Amino acid sequence: MPQHGTRQSARGGSAAWALVITSVAGFMAALDNLVVTTALPSIREDLGGALHDLEWTVSAYTLTFAVLLMFGAALGDRFGRRRLFVVGITVFTAASAAAAMAPGIDSLIAARAVQGVGAAIMMPLTLTLLTAAVPAERRGMAYGIWGAVNGLAVASGPLVGGSLTEHISWQWIFWLNVPLGLALLPLARLRLAESHGTGAPLDIPGTLLASGGLFGVVYGLVRGPVDGWTGSVVLTALFAGVALLVGFVLYSTRAKNPMLPMRLFRSRAFAGVNAASLLMFLGMFGSIFLLSQYMQGVLGYSPTEAGLRMLPWTGMPMLVAPIAGILSDRIGGRPVVAAGLFLQAAGLGYLASVITADASYAIQLPGLIISGVGMALYFAPASALVMSSVAAKEQGIASGANNALREVGGALGIAVMSSIFAAQGGYASAQTFVDGLRPAVAVGAAMVALGGVAALAIPARRRTGGQGPTTEPKTDLASEPASEPVDEPAPEPALAPTAPTPRH
């Protein structure tokens, strides 16, 4: 096995196959974030359990997914990205089958936690494998399609879960992953090229600090709305989590081979896109979580009807994100991401202002469309910015960190916006629901707008005498701690077996 990123086998590797395989794998992992939400009543009726138990069918997946993402990326860099990608798909697929066959609520929660482990291994490797397979001049479009599929999965989770539950059974929200996973396993083995990272030893202390810290913070955020923010368990989890994360930062500034080099955050590009991603998912996740319930509980739509009426928002990435990827190739990712975030914020702000207990669909439609366009403009260029903001050998680390921050942002969004909803309203009547929903969605809009401000901190693409973007080679961040990457695609990877220096 090669120990450094200097050799790569290209057995059947191709850009098209890599795009299909990584997009489907990303779809499965992203879909399971919210797919369970509309199925909870049916799960409770079938398996029993208190509301506290049902909440863990959502949060068990989110927790393990968030806390192990960076470790999954590190394992891929060390032992082979394709190899660990296949392992992740195998774990995720097997856990999906276990969840579908769960005889009780406890076994379902356990299966969801294992699902999160599989997703944490395979998800951060999708971008590194895709980057290694696609020529630099076509990465914008590839990231656009990848982002469209993943964005659709995140936003359409309630629609898919509700439709399968309503028309078949809740078990099928998990059975859906099994044939997809079984199809991906041989394709990944035969059609993806193997690649490795730096070959550095695994950072066990850093992994334990980061995982423990993220677990404490996310656990506290998930439990806060249920147990109360002043509860001893919640406060202990939050304080311990923050302390461990501070310890992780201090440790990573001094360690020889840290899992997440803190010097990466000296780059405005890396810091800006990660801050934007966290705030985007905070506002988007919390809004989708509450608005899907508003469609059903207040306006009286069935889960399928509600999902269909949200398609102008949730389906827009399939139409716009590929175009956004092309735009980012031509004008740079910064303006496209910033514009997308500000449009998403404007759409959520509009919805917060027009939502009533009997609002017509027509009056909501402009907000749904604007939000959908904004979300679509964000996804693809943001992925490209993450991958181009670091040296090629550190793209696995960057992808894992970005995905972890997205998951933490999603958990934070649901917790914070649910708390605002509970403080200002509730489920007693349609009007009390709206009383809580409007300020919560307004806060979500504000958070996404802050993400747009963070995106503006990303350096603009440098130009030379009106001749278009420069094509300066990316500085190796491993040897230049204070370097500032340019907003441009990463260098083209070499895929031939004899190529001496492939990129990942």
Side-chain angles (χ1 to χ4, degrees):
M1 181 184 73
Q3 297 299 309
H4 301 276
T6 59
R7 292 174 56 204
Q8 176 174 313
S9 67
R11 292 179 55 194
S14 73
W17 277 111
L19 179 58
V20 171
I21 294 167
T22 59
S23 293
V24 174
F27 179 89
M28 291 195 303
L31 180 70
D32 274 59
N33 273 299
L34 292 176
V35 74
V36 178
T37 54
T38 48
L40 290 178
S42 296
I43 292 175
R44 182 178 186 181
E45 181 179 350
D46 195 9
L47 299 183
L51 181 60
H52 166 82
D53 297 316
L54 296 178
E55 290 172 352
W56 277 107
T57 63
V58 179
S59 57
Y61 180 83
T62 303
L63 281 171
T64 53
F65 194 2
V67 303
L68 295 176
L69 271 165
M70 286 190 287
F71 189 53
L75 286 173
D77 286 348
R78 180 67 176 83
F79 297 108
R81 290 161 178 165
R82 182 184 65 187
R83 179 181 299 174
L84 265 293
F85 182 70
V86 170
V87 170
I89 294 174
T90 302
V91 172
F92 185 86
T93 303
S96 297
M101 297 185 292
I105 193 70
D106 292 336
S107 56
L108 175 60
I109 293 171
R112 287 285 286 167
V114 178
Q115 264 192 313
V117 174
I121 296 172
M122 72 177 181
M123 187 64 175
L125 299 176
T126 57
L127 272 180
T128 49
L129 289 166
L130 183 61
T131 300
V134 179
E137 67 273 8
R138 288 190 287 155
R139 284 193 193 131
M141 181 178 295
Y143 289 144
I145 297 172
W146 182 91
V149 174
N150 281 268
L152 179 64
V154 170
S156 64
L159 168 62
V160 174
S163 298
L164 290 173
T165 300
E166 181 180 348
H167 298 294
I168 309 178
S169 71
W170 66 264
Q171 285 89 348
W172 276 92
I173 64 179
F174 302 116
W175 281 126
L176 175 66
N177 294 322
V178 175
L180 292 176
L182 292 176
L184 286 179
L185 286 172
L187 290 176
R189 185 68 183 86
L190 297 173
R191 296 294 183 177
L192 291 179
E194 183 61 283
S195 62
H196 294 76
T198 62
L202 290 177
D203 180 13
I204 301 300
T207 298
L208 293 176
L209 286 170
S211 298
L214 285 174
F215 179 87
V217 171
V218 175
Y219 180 87
L221 293 174
V222 169
R223 297 305 307 165
V226 180
D227 296 340
W229 293 103
T230 59
S232 59
V233 173
V234 172
L235 289 177
T236 300
L238 291 174
F239 282 121
V242 171
L244 288 172
L245 289 177
V246 171
F248 171 70
V249 172
L250 295 175
Y251 164 82
S252 298
T253 59
R254 301 168 183 170
K256 183 178 180 180
N257 295 299
M259 179 176 63
L260 178 60
M262 289 296 110
R263 59 183 164 70
L264 295 181
F265 288 96
R266 298 177 188 175
S267 161
R268 283 166 48 209
F270 186 79
V273 71
N274 278 286
S277 295
L278 185 146
L279 292 165
M280 163 63 177
F281 271 67
L282 191 156
M284 183 191 70
F285 254 64
S287 298
I288 290 176
F289 182 75
L290 291 174
L291 286 170
S292 63
Q293 295 182 63
Y294 165 74
M295 289 274 190
Q296 299 174 60
V298 175
L299 301 183
Y301 298 122
S302 70
T304 304
E305 291 171 339
L308 289 173
R309 282 165 175 78
M310 292 183 74
L311 277 179
W313 182 6
T314 61
M316 197 62 69
M318 292 299 293
L319 301 177
V320 179
I323 300 173
I326 297 173
L327 282 175
S328 71
D329 281 345
R330 295 187 176 182
I331 66 175
R334 174 197 178 202
V336 181
V337 166
L341 290 171
F342 286 128
L343 281 175
Q344 173 80 89
L348 291 175
Y350 173 86
L351 287 171
S353 68
V354 302
I355 287 171
T356 63
D358 58 353
S360 67
Y361 181 63
I363 200 171
Q364 300 173 60
L365 189 58
L368 296 172
I369 293 174
I370 294 171
S371 295
V373 173
M375 182 169 66
L377 288 176
Y378 158 82
F379 272 115
S383 301
L385 286 171
V386 170
M387 301 306 282
S388 64
S389 67
V390 300
K393 65 182 179 181
E394 293 176 321
Q395 286 176 344
I397 297 172
S399 176
N402 183 255
N403 278 283
L405 288 172
R406 288 183 180 191
E407 292 301 312
V408 171
L412 176 62
I414 292 175
V416 170
M417 294 173 68
S418 294
S419 297
I420 296 170
F421 169 81
Q424 301 294 322
Y427 293 91
S429 67
Q431 188 57 51
T432 57
F433 192 100
V434 171
D435 290 341
L437 177 64
R438 295 183 71 170
V441 175
V443 169
M447 293 298 102
V448 177
L450 285 177
V453 175
L456 292 177
I458 299 170
R461 174 182 288 179
R462 292 198 288 267
R463 296 179 180 273
T464 305
Q467 299 301 313
T470 66
T471 56
E472 302 170 7
K474 192 193 325 285
T475 303
D476 187 346
L477 296 177
S479 58
E480 297 292 335
S483 63
E484 189 68 66
V486 184
D487 174 11
E488 64 181 351
E492 180 175 355
L495 296 179
T498 58
T501 55
R503 300 290 187 186
H504 308 310

